[in-house]
């Protein structure tokens, strides 16, 4: 049974998120400035920039309208969210903005029915976050000499959190050193993330079974209102 405090926080979070999609209004993606041009979209919404929890929803575009395909509670960085264009590495904030989803990966095999490009995590799989490295913000096998182990994630060591995941294209195509690296949509750990977005394991599996590369899915991360409002992206 949840404690009274947890129950109150849940109610407050739900009430705040209702402001994004009041009953009877246009679906959230139809009110956004951009959705990436594809016919699939994931939205991750927090009540405010200081929040560590919110709601993640995945959508399909059908007959000219966005239709909800699923929804789940989400977790964000331990220090909340920050504008992606000015975020700093090591701040434990989740970058807001609209991003593509280059590929999926996981320690476990892809869920049955997954069609998305899926990369298996091996013992020598690393994600380099070393700003001095030529491999900054890239998957490497093995870890290159110019990428310090203390500045990289040994993917297999993340256990259930990286059982299944999607790479979020934040600072990925043309990386700006020091802005951030290794931002994923992955399975929940014990609490907030270091800057990623996380969801329950079952939801992560369902998202991978739903996503289709040909539909060019994107993820939009933002808040209910203010300068990082999700509708601005």
């Amino acid at each position: 049974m949840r404690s009274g405090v947890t129950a109150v926080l849940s109610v407050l979070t739900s009430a705040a998120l209702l402001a994004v999609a009041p009953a009877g209004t246009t679906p959230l993606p139809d009110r956004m400035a951009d959705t990436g041009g594809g016919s699939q979209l994931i939205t991750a919404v927090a009540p405010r920039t200081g929040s560590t929890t919110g709601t993640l929803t995945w959508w399909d575009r059908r007959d000219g309208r966005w239709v909800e395909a699923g929804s789940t509670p989400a977790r964000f960085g331990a220090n909340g969210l920050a504008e992606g264009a000015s975020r700093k590495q090591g701040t434990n904030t989740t970058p807001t903005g609209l991003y593509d989803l280059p590929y999926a990966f996981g320690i476990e095999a892809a869920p049955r029915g997954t069609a998305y490009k899926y990369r298996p995590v091996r013992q020598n799989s690393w994600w380099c976050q070393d700003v001095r490295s030529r491999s900054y913000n890239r998957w490497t096998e093995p870890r290159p000499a110019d990428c310090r182990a203390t500045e990289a994630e040994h993917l297999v060591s993340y256990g259930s959190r990286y059982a299944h995941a999607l790479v979020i294209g934040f600072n990925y195509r043309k990386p700006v050193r020091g802005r951030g690296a290794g931002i994923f949509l992955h399975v929940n750990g014990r609490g907030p993330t270091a800057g990623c977005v996380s969801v329950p394991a079952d939801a992560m599996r369902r998202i991978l079974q739903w996503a289709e590369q040909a539909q060019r899915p994107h993820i939009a991360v933002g808040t209910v209102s203010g300068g990082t409002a999700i509708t601005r992206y």
Side-chain angles (χ1 to χ4, degrees), residues 67-156:
V67 179
E68 181 179 320
S71 187
T72 186
R75 295 177 183 170
F76 302 103
N79 288 323
L81 296 83
E83 170 58 53
S86 57
R87 178 186 182 270
K88 301 297 183 184
Q89 185 164 320
T91 55
N92 288 341
T93 55
T94 298
T96 62
L98 177 69
Y99 307 105
D100 65 353
L101 298 160
Y103 57 91
F105 69 90
I107 294 172
E108 297 182 8
R112 182 173 297 181
T114 299
Y116 218 75
K117 180 181 178 182
Y118 191 88
R119 191 166 186 174
V121 173
R122 299 184 175 90
Q123 198 60 40
N124 65 342
S125 301
W126 294 76
W127 194 280
C128 183
Q129 300 179 355
D130 192 333
V131 296
R132 303 176 187 174
S133 175
R134 289 172 295 178
S135 300
Y136 179 66
N137 203 19
R138 287 293 183 272
W139 178 301
T140 66
E141 288 183 359
R143 178 177 55 82
D146 71 346
C147 182
R148 293 166 290 174
T150 55
E151 298 295 325
E153 290 190 359
H154 189 204
L155 299 178
V156 74

Side-chain angles (χ1 to χ4, degrees), residues 14-62:
S14 298
L17 293 176
L18 283 174
V20 176
T25 63
T26 305
L28 173 58
D30 283 326
R31 291 181 280 120
M32 290 171 57
D34 190 7
T35 57
S39 57
Q40 289 188 325
L41 178 71
I42 299 172
T43 56
V45 188
R48 58 193 67 84
T49 54
S51 302
T52 60
T53 60
T55 299
L56 184 140
T57 306
W58 50 107
W59 308 80
D60 291 303
R61 188 154 182 84
R62 300 175 186 166

